[in-house]
Amino acid sequence: MTPNPFKLRIPDGRWHTWTHPAPDRKKHVLGIVRTLTSATRLMDVLSLLRPEDGIEVSYTINPGSAFAAGLQEYLSATVAELVPWREAVRRPFDLAVACTVNASMHRIRPPLLVLPHGAGYNRLVPGTTGDTVSPAGLSRRELLHRGRVVPAAIGVSHPEQIPRLARACPPAAERALLVGDFGFDRIRASLAHRDVYRERLGVHGRRLVALHSTWSEHSLLGRCPDLPLRLVTALPADEFAVAAVLHPNVWAHHRPPDVYARLEEAMEGGLMVIPPQEGWRATVIASDWVVGDHGSTSFYSAALDRVTLLAATGLDELDPASPAAAFGRTAPRLDPDGDLEAQLRQAAQAHAPEPMREIAERQLGAPGRGGALVRDWIYGRLGLRPPGPPRTVPVPDPEPRRRSGPPRYDVTGGRLPDGTVQVVRRPWVGRRDPDDAEPRGFFAAPDHGSASLAPRSAEVLARTVVDADPAPVEWVRTRAKEFSELNVVVAQLADDSCLLHLRGGHLLEAHAVRPWGHPRPRLDALLLGSAVNLWRLSDLSMDPVAEALAHGLRIRTGERVLEVEFRAAPGNGRRT
């Protein structure tokens, strides 16, 4: 008799902190992954299995995927046991679960449950399925081995997928199992954490635009590779934040260094990039607008009633009968070459979520029950009694990768009839020489001690770091003397206060006014400098010191208004 390899790994019971079931009563489940996408979805599902019920989970990588780069490292750092494929096919597991399917999985000895790794089964991938009509995950090539159906059960997120399974692979239709969409259930269960996710993303009162791209030449990035850069430079930075969510296959095929290199200029302009392992769900929840394509993340966003615009539809690679194709045919479009800001605002005004919600309901079945359906089937197959209703844990906080800020802003605006100063700052990035470029207004730049920032091209210069040398008064005077073209030089004193040096040698301290019952507002040095410059330019005959001390300044960015008070420096604010 072949020895049981599991018994060899059972340690002496005296080392246990918690009580464990007897070794001969334990159940052993194998999670099979092929890509990072399937790995993260599978780990979600298998988190429903409780070790106190005597279930041990191991993972293995089913080799052969073109998108397996980085998978070994990710699993080694996140799972308790990673088993080589050659060992996994020999060990007597009680059940195997995968969120992707491949005919090579016939080598696995236990019954196999396969589940979707996204929003249903939609994409036509002839290289995987062997034909041009079967959605990936439902094809004969993937589900059959020598005429035998490989999986014991084929999870479908909605009953509408069963007839499509029957058309693509008739012998497998009787193995269909309704499992809902536990991934989307977790997203909906996390909606109450929206403010937390927005804080982690650093939205700070702005509206968040989430840029979603799946993989392939038909994706958003495949069709519009410069859209991330165009979006961050088109939107006012004080009103909009932009975060990019890219399909893990993009990262696997192009590798992270190349991905970040391609997005370098957009990140310089303020683009946040969400890592492929986690964070996309929190970003979906935190978003206000979504600019996407036919990927599952865009579909989920529309299902949450987010204002969704498609820059690519992917209809050339979708099953025409799928809800994803209906989504691509119905969702509003974004013209990448048009006025991006105007299109976003118009889409928000015209937003009608009902058509998208109806399409989502044809793909996301059994809402709120996905976890229970999957877990109860697994427990039943293992001969275990399911515990009470599973707890749907909120998705983790996002941890975006970002830069410190643009090298300069193109500033427009002016004094409004109510006396407020409207400021519109757009990041100015890319391989454009600001000395030769034609901005809409004037340049305002942070001072990071780099000659490449070319302060002579700016009218406003700001030091945004509080703990810096030399002292603020000395710094503003030195920079104003060094660059006589500057109208305003600003140094950050604290989160809510700054030191200003105006053309002519005037020194003022500025403090943001905290309205009663509100959090302390942040006074951004570059925003303040830009507003003061616009204020002075609106009336060159005005005495800026007298006006500031007497009336203060009200700065408008979009719908928000920030009130600022000023104090004169000793000597009436003028350097002697």
Side-chain angles (χ1 to χ4, degrees), residues 414-553:
R415 186 182 293 213
L416 300 177
D418 64 358
T420 61
V421 175
Q422 183 180 45
V423 182
V424 180
R425 299 190 297 165
R426 293 180 174 87
W428 185 274
V429 296
R431 298 182 179 88
R432 297 176 289 184
D433 184 347
D435 292 319
D436 298 330
E438 295 182 1
R440 304 184 191 192
F442 59 82
F443 287 125
D447 182 63
H448 297 306
S450 172
S452 64
L453 296 179
R456 287 189 174 84
S457 68
E459 294 186 19
V460 177
L461 186 68
R463 188 172 74 177
T464 58
V465 178
V466 174
D467 186 11
D469 291 322
V473 171
E474 181 182 351
W475 181 83
V476 295
R477 286 174 172 170
T478 300
R479 293 308 252 170
K481 182 177 180 180
E482 183 179 3
F483 301 105
S484 58
E485 299 87 354
L486 293 170
N487 289 334
V488 183
V489 183
V490 193
Q492 196 87 42
L493 297 178
D495 282 349
D496 62 346
S497 61
C498 298
L499 179 68
L500 284 154
H501 183 287
L502 307 182
R503 179 182 288 277
H506 302 287
L507 286 175
L508 293 172
E509 268 193 16
H511 299 265
V513 177
R514 184 180 72 82
W516 188 91
H518 286 69
R520 177 184 295 176
R522 185 175 188 276
L523 183 59
D524 178 272
L526 268 175
L527 173 64
L528 174 65
S530 300
V532 169
N533 196 43
L534 288 166
W535 182 46
R536 293 181 74 250
L537 293 175
S538 68
D539 184 0
L540 294 178
S541 64
M542 173 185 64
D543 182 341
V545 174
E547 190 74 14
L549 295 175
H551 304 292
L553 180 64

Side-chain angles (χ1 to χ4, degrees), residues 123-125 129 131-136 138-140 167-169 319:
R123 196 187 294 260
L124 302 176
V125 188
T129 63
D131 62 59
T132 58
V133 295
S134 301
L138 303 183
S139 70
R140 298 177 66 93
R167 289 194 296 270
C169 186
D319 177 0

Side-chain angles (χ1 to χ4, degrees), residues 251-263:
W251 296 90
H253 183 72
H254 294 284
R255 308 299 175 91
D258 188 20
V259 173
Y260 286 121
R262 290 171 183 265
L263 297 176

Side-chain angles (χ1 to χ4, degrees), residues 311-323:
T313 64
L315 292 173
D316 292 337
E317 61 174 359
L318 293 177
D319 177 0
S322 68

Side-chain angles (χ1 to χ4, degrees), residues 24-257:
D24 59 353
R25 296 182 57 191
K26 284 192 174 183
K27 301 298 181 180
H28 302 275
V29 174
L30 177 67
I32 306 175
V33 303
R34 284 178 60 83
T35 64
L36 181 59
T37 312
S38 65
T40 54
R41 180 60 69 101
L42 182 63
M43 291 174 70
D44 244 12
V45 171
L46 295 186
S47 70
L48 295 165
L49 309 184
R50 308 191 317 171
E52 58 264 41
D53 296 328
I55 303 175
E56 285 190 353
V57 179
S58 304
Y59 290 82
T60 190
I61 298 174
N62 176 230
S65 172
F67 302 108
L71 189 54
Q72 176 85 30
E73 296 77 7
Y74 171 71
L75 290 174
S76 296
T78 53
V79 304
E81 183 183 34
L82 182 60
V83 181
W85 176 252
R86 63 181 179 275
E87 180 183 345
V89 299
R90 298 195 301 266
R91 281 170 53 169
F93 293 93
D94 297 290
L95 181 69
V97 185
C99 288
T100 187
V101 65
N102 186 274
S104 63
M105 293 180 186
H106 78 275
R107 299 179 60 196
I108 292 293
R109 297 169 61 181
L112 172 65
L113 166 66
V114 296
L115 303 167
H117 60 255
Y121 302 95
N122 306 296
R123 196 187 294 260
L124 302 176
V125 188
T128 298
T129 63
D131 62 59
T132 58
V133 295
S134 301
L138 303 183
S139 70
R140 298 177 66 93
R141 176 188 279 187
E142 296 167 296
L143 297 174
L144 301 183
H145 176 69
R146 296 181 179 177
R148 179 181 68 86
V149 180
V150 174
I154 301 164
V156 296
S157 62
H158 193 283
E160 73 83 24
Q161 294 156 24
I162 299 177
R164 293 199 287 130
L165 172 60
R167 289 194 296 270
C169 186
E174 63 181 17
R175 306 280 180 94
L177 173 70
L178 178 64
V179 295
D181 192 314
F182 180 56
F184 188 61
D185 288 346
R186 283 196 69 188
I187 291 175
R188 284 197 289 201
S190 304
L191 290 173
H193 292 248
R194 172 177 163 87
D195 289 339
V196 175
Y197 300 148
R198 290 172 66 85
E199 182 181 53
R200 297 293 187 272
L201 290 167
V203 174
H204 300 312
R206 297 175 292 171
R207 302 293 90 188
L208 177 62
V209 181
L211 189 74
H212 294 283
S213 180
T214 188
W215 59 280
S216 87
E217 61 182 341
H218 302 291
S219 68
L220 180 149
L221 287 180
R223 294 293 176 89
C224 317
D226 66 339
L227 186 55
L229 177 60
R230 294 196 63 244
L231 197 59
V232 296
T233 54
L235 300 178
D238 297 299
E239 300 176 54
F240 296 88
V242 185
V245 173
L246 312 183
H247 193 285
N249 286 359
V250 176
W251 296 90
H253 183 72
H254 294 284
R255 308 299 175 91

